[in-house]
Amino acid sequence: MSAITSTLPGRLKAVNIAGQGSGAIVLLGRLLFVLIFLMSGPRHFLSQTIAYAAAQGVPMASIAVPFSGLLAFLGGLSILLGYRAKIGAWLIVLFLAGVTPMMHKFWAVTDPMMYQMQFVMFMKNVSMMGAALLISQLGSGPWSLDSRRR
């Protein structure tokens, strides 16, 4: 028992040291995660994007596509700044849950190359949804506006 208790303080110390230097890494992670949402969100207001979504069978594309762009952009900005990031993450989850099955229907594609591309895009969105769910529970971490309010 004493061997276990003697190593425990060393482990806790290592965790604290790692936690102190993690702010920049977490901020970089948030930036890399939201970059796609911040860059693609405004494109949802373009007529070409709306027309493409309508061709894919998106109902009320002229309303749904700009709305989804707003969700993506606001969610991404919230996570990047770390301002109410848990809510921003839920906006990203909502965006991805709606967009992924509508725009990346790999199961309906017959061309092998397009099948593979749509499958990869579908799985990319699923993995980003997983990351957004983690943020929705764990928050934005250090170097965020949320951490300053505590």
Side-chain angles (χ1 to χ4, degrees), residues 38-50:
L38 295 177
M39 292 180 70
S40 67
R43 297 191 54 79
H44 284 73
F45 292 89
L46 299 175
S47 58
Q48 302 94 318
T49 306
I50 295 168

Side-chain angles (χ1 to χ4, degrees), residues 117-132:
M117 190 166 118
Q118 290 303 324
F119 179 76
V120 167
M121 297 296 277
F122 184 93
M123 294 309 295
K124 169 199 53 100
N125 283 11
V126 168
S127 69
M128 289 190 307
M129 193 180 316

Side-chain angles (χ1 to χ4, degrees), residues 60-126:
M60 299 189 312
S62 61
I63 296 168
V65 174
F67 180 72
S68 70
L70 192 61
L71 287 175
F73 188 79
L74 291 177
L77 191 60
S78 169
I79 292 169
L80 175 62
L81 298 175
Y83 178 73
R84 302 199 186 261
K86 290 182 176 186
I87 295 170
W90 282 112
L91 293 177
I92 297 295
V93 168
L94 183 61
F95 166 76
L96 291 169
V99 167
T100 302
M102 290 297 298
M103 298 303 293
H104 303 296
K105 303 177 206 171
F106 66 90
W107 56 88
V109 178
T110 56
D111 176 48
M113 199 111 139
M114 286 305 292
Y115 172 91
Q116 186 65 33
M117 190 166 118
Q118 290 303 324
F119 179 76
V120 167
M121 297 296 277
F122 184 93
M123 294 309 295
K124 169 199 53 100
N125 283 11
V126 168

Side-chain angles (χ1 to χ4, degrees), residues 11-61:
R11 286 184 182 164
L12 292 176
K13 187 177 181 182
V15 169
N16 284 339
I17 292 169
Q20 291 172 357
S22 66
I25 300 296
V26 173
L27 177 61
L28 179 62
R30 289 196 323 258
L31 172 65
L32 294 175
F33 174 68
V34 302
L35 199 56
I36 190 168
F37 303 110
L38 295 177
M39 292 180 70
S40 67
R43 297 191 54 79
H44 284 73
F45 292 89
L46 299 175
S47 58
Q48 302 94 318
T49 306
I50 295 168
Y52 178 73
Q56 294 296 311
V58 173
M60 299 189 312

